[in-house]
Amino acid sequence: MKERRSLHSVSQHDRRKLLKGLGAAGIAAASGLILPQHVLAAMPGTPATDKPVYGGRIRVAGMSISTKDTLDPAKASLGTDYARIYMLYSGLTQFNRDLGTDLALAEKMESEDQQHWFITLRDGVTFHNGKSLTSDDVVYSLLRHKDPAVTSRVAAIAQQFDTVKATGRLTLSLTLKSPNADLPVILASSNFCIVANGTTDFSREANGTGPYKLKEFSPGTRTVGEKNRNFWKPGKPYLDEIELVGIADESSRVNALLSGDVQMSIALNPRSTKRVKASGTCDIMQTESGLYTNLIMRQDAYPTNNPDFVLAVKYMMNRPLVQRALFRGYATIANDHPVPPSHKYYNADLPQRPYDIDRAKYHLKKAGMSGARFPVFASPAAEGSVDMAALLQLSGIECDYHFGINRVPADGYWSNHWMKHPMGFGNINPRPSLDELFTLFYKSDAPWNESGWKNAQFDQLLLAARGEGDEVKRKQMYGDMQALISEHCGVSIPVFINIIDGYDKRIKGFYPIPTGGFMGYTFAEHIWLDA
């Protein structure tokens, strides 16, 4: 029998060497994204240089707010949901600043074959109501995603779980239908945070093990959390209270920050950065990530189901201009697939698609659509989409094609317009695990398959890559999948957007985690107010 290894028993260097065939390496390095050194050097107020201060209350502005705001980790789907969930709950694992994954409620995760996993939980962890955490809570939390009645946002991911069984008060086994080295990374998602066994009503209560207890929850208005003094991380959290609100309009978020109405504000426009820096009281933090706004071209509607029309639109997308004019350099050029250049599985050999009006004209003519007119739906809810649509409209004029821009309000965009028109925009948060990203958005039966794209070769490669222990072969598979998306899928991804958070300079302990803004939405347990 092979020696079983686990994260708690090896160094960071050793963990990275264990990637092939070991579950521990899935925790330490499976995500593969590397935080650039210039970002590390710019981190403000990190614990390494400042002594935490206890006490105080802050207000925090996310960009999304809805009457469908949820306290159920399984149903979290927007940025403000993720922040709320991480305030109130904890997961088995959690992302760190290097986009590796650290153990959280799990004290050990072990596997010899990446298919059969053995998990040991921390002892002494309690839920907000005083109940002790046991393996039964974890079994219930993981299996409820497979229940159709729950309508979990990660149901497609949870279908990989074959069996989840308690083997002791603090131990359990998790068997996958096939090997997946990314399991520890997947389990760090907010959707997989742990709830108490048997919990079914999340309408007004959140009994988690997170750094804050729920004090008030008003869907579409605000969430207030108060310090959990029995949090399982000694010495944390630092603040007494956090109020989380949603402000959809970016200029309103900036004004709220500069006026002192909020102390943190997510997703600032690059045009606002000079104003924030000039205030003297506030600053910005930039996070390079895999966040993107994409143009969706449905494969089940006319004319976006025509491959030549799709290629024509992709050649009309002026990526350098989008990067320069829309995001003022706070973005990285993309290549019509969702894997950023910083990811270890990025396909650097795939030729960059250029901005090429002549090729666009050729494909439009081949599709028989020269001189036509067609609507594009855009909204402030999908960051940069209104301006992207305007640039596409200008490119279309050069090609004798006329795009009409239908600008719709941010409120209700995701429920009323996203994926419901032949041409529209999405806005996808970073997913460190390519298996999770591809399973949720690009697999033929993916729940959020935005363009309705179906490709049997892609599906086969995705399943094969999960269990491939040879890193060279695995990277080649993911590279092939990127090529298939870029060439054939009905999405155009022009750039990866750097996330810009604004914050009051009194906020300390704040640093980038590339899974999203606000430290990958986990800010609540890390920051303090140096008043």
Side-chain angles (χ1 to χ4, degrees), residues 9 17 32 52 61 63 98 107 115 207 261 276 288 291 298 319 369 424 459 493:
S9 62
K17 295 196 326 186
M63 67 181 294
D98 299 317
E107 188 174 67
Q115 183 172 3
N207 182 30
D261 186 45
V276 172
E288 296 186 0
L291 171 69
R298 295 288 306 179
R319 292 164 181 77
M369 296 178 189
D459 296 345
I493 303 173

Side-chain angles (χ1 to χ4, degrees), residues 5-234:
R5 301 292 296 276
S6 62
L7 177 62
H8 79 295
S9 62
V10 295
S11 69
Q12 179 70 17
H13 176 70
D14 288 335
R15 292 176 210 159
R16 295 188 182 278
K17 295 196 326 186
L18 285 170
L19 183 59
K20 181 178 178 181
L22 290 178
I27 298 174
S31 63
L33 291 178
I34 300 173
L35 195 62
Q37 288 300 311
H38 72 274
V39 177
L40 285 169
M43 291 178 183
T46 65
T49 58
D50 294 299
K51 184 177 180 179
V53 175
Y54 288 91
R57 182 186 194 276
I58 65 171
R59 296 185 80 226
V60 178
M63 67 181 294
S64 55
I65 196 78
S66 170
T67 54
K68 294 184 179 180
D69 287 347
T70 183
L71 296 172
D72 185 349
K75 296 182 180 180
S77 61
L78 300 175
T80 311
D81 284 337
Y82 303 148
R84 182 183 309 107
I85 296 304
Y86 281 131
M87 281 175 59
L88 304 171
Y89 302 91
S90 301
L92 293 173
T93 59
Q94 68 181 75
F95 298 115
N96 57 39
R97 65 203 299 169
D98 299 317
L99 253 189
T101 313
D102 296 328
L103 291 170
L105 293 181
E107 188 174 67
K108 289 192 295 183
M109 288 190 70
E110 304 172 312
S111 180
E112 296 172 356
D113 57 7
Q114 300 174 341
Q115 183 172 3
H116 299 85
W117 294 82
F118 302 92
I119 301 170
T120 301
L121 303 177
R122 295 181 185 275
D123 198 4
V125 177
T126 59
F127 286 90
H128 295 160
N129 68 354
K131 176 191 176 306
S132 295
L133 172 72
T134 70
S135 54
D136 289 336
D137 302 305
V138 177
V139 171
Y140 175 76
S141 297
L142 297 183
L143 289 181
R144 67 186 295 263
H145 296 287
K146 299 183 69 172
D147 181 356
V150 173
T151 62
S152 170
R153 295 289 186 172
V154 289
I157 301 294
Q159 292 309 310
Q160 297 181 46
F161 303 161
D162 188 20
T163 60
V164 186
K165 296 180 179 179
T167 57
R169 186 177 69 88
L170 296 174
T171 59
L172 63 143
S173 64
L174 193 164
T175 300
L176 303 175
K177 292 180 180 177
S178 60
N180 191 339
D182 274 358
L183 178 66
V185 182
I186 289 170
L187 293 180
S189 161
S190 62
N191 296 111
F192 284 112
C193 282
I194 303 304
V195 303
N197 183 23
T199 306
T200 57
D201 184 5
F202 294 87
S203 60
R204 284 290 181 270
E205 295 183 4
N207 182 30
T209 61
Y212 288 84
K213 297 181 178 181
L214 185 65
K215 181 178 180 180
E216 179 183 338
F217 177 56
S218 301
T221 305
R222 68 175 189 160
T223 303
V224 180
E226 59 183 356
K227 181 175 181 173
N228 175 14
R229 300 187 182 278
N230 294 316
F231 187 43
W232 55 273
K233 290 190 178 183

